[in-house]
């Protein structure tokens, strides 16, 4: 379980994170909706250990994360771009984390081949990143993160650069993979529908402040999330069609 | 491009090399003869025999340039990364241009006192350090455009995947930068290889690089040995150029 207590962060005197507190349960995916500049990425970077909070406490399964460097946290941060290593093929990209840990070759082969199947990438192992489509690249990026069995996975708008159709299939794939692997994850996005689709719980980030909703209905009822506006838009559109 | 133009161009490029080789094999060349009157391998035998000290100069030059290029490339790669991500990037980078405000000889004259005090005057180590004053900032400027947010994100990704900073360099940054590193190494090797002013002033003739030998033979009006030294001067850069082309362009 990840517990965040009163996290604050400033950049050049401007508050980017203001008193953030929430809890992420094990095997749960928390969706955080927020516009650009709302502090979503900073929050994820603080959790990953890539940025330092000015104050507050981060606890993962009771362990204080603050003094733990990024490479020992077991918290993987995935970017909008797949960021595959251009000099490595698909197999080696996925195997990367295990190679860092100097795992035996048989274990690496077994795990990578298993992931290639589960991520629907059969026959792609020897391809180089530039030979893959956007969706395939993102699958490889998931594989590279999942293979080290992260304690928490942080996803920073991972489907932002994909076309609508690929995005839909990737959302379904991630939901399935998250369930299969029992992932504990935070998924940030600026897309309302994506946030609602991906999250077991939902949060909204505005001006460095985070509000976590008790349930889906609470999230929808809050005007600031834009869910009611979206619903009204579709109702009105339906009404227009009917009157025509 | 027509066949004639191609041949003419190749001829134009190869002519200076062929001319130097011809001169290195000549013995007497009185005006107005088109070619030397005597041909001999004696100049080359002098080199192979070691009596002219040219073999030693080749060794000194190769050692010096390889050391300078290796040190400057690796050091500037590492330092330029820190400069690129520093909040005062521009200020730090402007410092890298500082050695180029002066001509190398003036820079050497300014540094001379410190080299004498440090006991580096007239030594191989002294010339090496002096050349670093030019090649290191060049490397920093060369790599300043290499670093970007994408690479930084890759480096952060390696860390969240469990890698240390050393692993990020060894497994990602260096392999990704291989082409740039090779190109920078090649350019720094050439700068060091043909460097004259600093080497002459700080080395005070005790570090006889090939470039210094060419100038020495020219000033002595020994055109045959000057041509021979020039031939030797050209060979390592040509070999490196071929290697650079074979590795960098094949990957590109």
């Amino acid at each position: 379980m990840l517990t965040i207590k009163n996290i604050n962060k400033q950049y050049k005197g401007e508050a980017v994170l203001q008193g953030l507190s929430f809890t992420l349960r094990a095997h749960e995916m928390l969706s955080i909706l927020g516009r650009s500049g709302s502090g979503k990425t900073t929050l994820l970077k603080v959790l990953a250990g890539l940025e330092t909070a000015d104050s507050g406490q981060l606890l993962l399964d009771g362990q204080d994360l603050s003094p733990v460097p990024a490479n020992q946290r077991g918290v993987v941060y995935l970017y909008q771009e797949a960021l595959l290593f251009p000099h490595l093929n698909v197999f080696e990209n996925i195997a990367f984390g295990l190679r860092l840990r100097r795992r035996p070759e048989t274990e690496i082969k077994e795990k990578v081949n298993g992931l290639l199947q589960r991520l629907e990438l059969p026959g792609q192992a020897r391809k180089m990143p530039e030979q893959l489509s956007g969706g395939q690249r993102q699958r490889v990026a998931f594989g590279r993160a999942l293979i080290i069995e992260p304690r928490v996975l942080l996803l920073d708008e991972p489907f932002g650069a994909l076309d609508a159709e690929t995005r839909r299939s990737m959302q379904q794939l991630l939901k399935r993979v998250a369930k299969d692997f029992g992932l504990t994850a935070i998924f940030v996005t600026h897309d309302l529908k994506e946030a609602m689709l991906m999250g077991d719980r939902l949060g909204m980030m505005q001006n460095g402040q985070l509000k976590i909703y008790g349930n889906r209905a609470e999230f929808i009822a809050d005007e600031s999330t834009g869910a009611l506006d979206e619903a009204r838009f579709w109702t009105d559109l339906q009404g227009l069609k009917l009157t025509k | 491009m027509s066949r004639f133009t191609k041949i003419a161009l190749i001829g134009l490029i190869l002519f200076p090399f062929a001319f130097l080789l011809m001169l290195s094999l000549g013995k007497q060349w009185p005006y107005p003869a088109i070619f030397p009157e005597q041909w001999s391998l004696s100049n080359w035998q002098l080199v192979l025999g070691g009596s002219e000290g040219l073999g030693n100069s080749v060794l000194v030059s190769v050692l010096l340039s390889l050391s300078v290029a290796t040190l400057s490339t690796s050091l500037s790669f590492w330092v330029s990364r820190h400069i690129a991500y520093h909040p005062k990037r521009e200020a730090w980078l402007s410092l890298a241009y500082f050695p180029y405000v002066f001509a190398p000889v003036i820079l050497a004259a300014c540094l001379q006192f410190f080299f004498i005090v440090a006991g580096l005057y007239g030594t191989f180590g002294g010339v090496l350090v002096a050349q670093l004053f030019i090649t290191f900032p060049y490397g920093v400027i060369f790599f300043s455009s290499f670093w970007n947010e994408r690479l930084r994100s890759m480096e952060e990704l390696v860390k969240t995947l469990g890698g240390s900073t050393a692993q990020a360099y060894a497994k990602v940054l260096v392999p990704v930068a291989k082409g740039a590193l090779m190109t920078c190494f090649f350019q720094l090797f050439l700068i060091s290889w043909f460097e004259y002013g600093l080497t002459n002033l700080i080395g005070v003739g005790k570090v006889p690089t090939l470039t210094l030998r060419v100038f020495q033979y020219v000033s002595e009006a020994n055109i045959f040995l000057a041509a021979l030294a020039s031939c030797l001067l050209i060979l390592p850069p040509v070999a490196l150029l071929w290697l650079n082309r074979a590795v960098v362009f094949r990957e590109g």
Side-chain angles (χ1 to χ4, degrees):
Chain A
M1 188 164 78
L2 179 68
T3 310
I4 312 298
K5 287 181 186 168
N6 201 26
I7 291 289
N8 290 285
K9 173 86 180 165
Q10 287 196 341
Y11 275 127
K12 294 174 184 172
E14 195 184 328
V16 184
L17 301 178
Q18 297 183 62
L20 257 60
S21 296
F22 66 93
T23 302
L24 178 68
R25 292 186 285 264
H27 316 302
E28 177 187 51
M29 190 179 297
L30 171 69
S31 267
I32 298 178
L33 179 70
R35 294 196 185 93
S36 299
S38 59
K40 308 186 300 276
T41 297
T42 307
L43 169 64
L44 294 193
K45 289 203 165 183
V46 167
L47 297 181
L50 301 170
E51 301 267 358
T52 318
D54 298 334
S55 62
Q57 206 177 15
L58 306 172
L59 298 168
L60 183 55
D61 300 328
Q63 180 198 10
D64 183 8
L65 283 185
S66 307
V68 182
N71 61 339
Q72 288 167 26
R73 287 192 179 192
V75 178
V76 176
Y77 177 82
L78 288 184
Y79 295 75
Q80 180 173 330
E81 204 185 336
L83 289 179
L84 300 187
F85 304 128
H87 58 293
L88 300 178
N89 62 23
V90 168
F91 185 97
E92 288 302 326
N93 259 288
I94 294 179
F96 190 82
L98 296 182
R99 296 249 185 250
L100 289 177
R101 290 162 178 76
R102 298 190 172 89
R103 307 302 299 175
E105 194 61 35
T106 46
E107 182 191 333
I108 292 175
K109 272 187 187 161
E110 191 187 322
K111 285 194 169 175
V112 174
N113 287 330
L115 269 171
L116 283 168
Q117 292 300 321
R118 292 175 91 161
L119 293 168
E120 299 163 17
L121 288 164
Q124 312 289 329
R126 300 293 150 206
K127 282 192 177 170
M128 296 305 284
E130 75 268 14
Q131 295 173 292
L132 304 175
S133 67
Q136 286 174 324
R137 279 182 206 166
Q138 209 52 271
R139 281 165 205 242
V140 177
F142 284 159
R144 187 175 53 186
L146 293 174
I147 205 158
I148 62 163
E149 297 167 16
R151 297 165 82 188
V152 180
L153 186 62
L154 307 171
L155 301 124
D156 193 354
E157 308 213 27
F159 309 135
L162 302 177
D163 62 82
E165 198 177 326
T166 314
R167 193 170 181 147
R168 264 195 301 276
S169 74
M170 288 300 294
Q171 287 164 348
Q172 286 163 8
L173 178 89
L174 180 60
K175 282 293 276 185
R176 196 166 61 244
V177 167
K179 197 180 166 193
D180 290 352
F181 284 78
L183 285 181
T184 306
I186 298 178
F187 187 103
V188 305
T189 179
H190 63 266
D191 186 297
L192 172 68
K193 278 179 277 181
E194 189 167 76
M196 292 186 70
L197 186 74
M198 300 308 298
D200 300 318
R201 271 198 305 154
L202 297 159
M204 172 81 189
M205 195 143 183
Q206 271 179 316
N207 304 319
Q209 291 177 318
L210 178 67
K211 184 177 179 186
I212 303 284
Y213 298 89
N215 55 49
R216 210 163 283 261
E218 268 183 36
F219 178 82
I220 293 168
D222 187 343
E223 283 282 352
S224 66
T225 65
L228 283 175
D229 273 348
E230 182 87 7
R232 275 189 217 110
F233 171 80
W234 290 107
T235 312
D236 292 350
L237 198 70
Q238 189 73 8
L240 274 176
K241 267 190 184 172
L242 289 173
T243 51
K244 270 187 180 177
Chain B
M1 194 187 290
S2 74
R3 195 180 149 87
F4 173 78
T5 320
K6 259 187 198 170
I7 292 169
L9 264 176
I10 292 169
L12 206 66
I13 292 165
L14 290 182
F15 174 74
F17 302 106
F19 185 73
L20 284 173
L21 190 66
M22 182 193 79
L23 268 186
S24 73
L25 294 167
K27 268 226 125 166
Q28 281 188 328
W29 195 19
Y31 180 84
I34 294 174
F35 295 109
E37 284 184 344
Q38 284 182 36
W39 299 91
S40 163
L41 284 171
S42 57
N43 291 335
W44 285 91
Q45 281 162 347
L46 274 177
V47 177
L48 296 173
S51 57
E52 263 298 317
L54 273 174
N56 181 48
S57 290
V58 173
L59 195 69
V60 167
S61 288
V62 169
L63 263 178
L64 182 68
S65 297
L66 283 179
S67 310
V68 167
T70 307
L71 273 172
S72 300
T73 305
S74 43
L75 203 62
S76 60
F77 183 69
W78 183 73
V79 170
S80 66
R81 180 200 159 278
H82 287 84
I83 290 177
Y85 302 145
H86 196 275
K88 291 183 177 169
R89 175 181 185 273
E90 297 304 324
W92 283 109
L93 202 56
S94 62
L95 278 180
Y97 287 94
F98 188 71
Y100 300 101
V101 173
F102 310 110
V105 182
I106 297 171
L107 181 69
C110 296
L111 296 172
Q112 207 170 16
F113 169 77
F114 301 100
F115 277 77
I116 293 168
V117 171
L120 290 168
Y121 203 53
T123 64
F124 180 89
V127 174
L128 192 148
V129 173
Q131 290 198 356
L132 287 180
F133 275 92
I134 294 180
T135 52
F136 169 67
Y138 182 92
V140 169
I141 294 162
F142 179 93
F143 285 120
S144 63
S145 58
F146 172 77
W147 302 104
N148 53 43
E149 273 309 307
R150 195 169 187 275
L151 274 173
R152 192 179 197 177
S153 301
M154 260 187 207
E155 200 180 325
E156 288 175 348
L157 182 66
V158 174
K159 284 189 184 162
T160 67
L161 288 171
S164 62
T165 304
Q167 283 176 315
Y169 268 96
K171 305 235 177 232
V172 175
L173 296 179
V174 170
V176 167
K178 202 163 99 180
L181 284 166
M182 285 288 290
T183 306
C184 184
F185 179 88
F186 175 65
Q187 292 184 7
L188 294 181
F189 181 91
L190 286 185
I191 291 172
S192 166
W193 187 256
F194 293 112
E195 216 294 316
Y196 177 78
L198 267 175
T199 311
N200 194 30
L201 212 67
I202 302 294
V204 278
K206 290 179 185 169
V207 186
T209 63
L210 263 180
T211 307
L212 293 191
R213 297 303 287 261
V214 171
F215 277 90
Q216 180 197 326
Y217 290 134
V218 169
S219 63
E220 288 170 1
N222 192 340
I223 55 166
F224 303 111
L225 277 179
L228 193 150
S230 300
C231 285
L232 293 174
L233 196 66
I234 290 163
L235 282 177
V238 168
L240 206 61
L241 181 65
W242 174 82
L243 188 75
N244 194 45
R245 191 182 145 81
V247 176
V248 178
F249 287 85
R250 188 184 59 208
E251 283 180 356

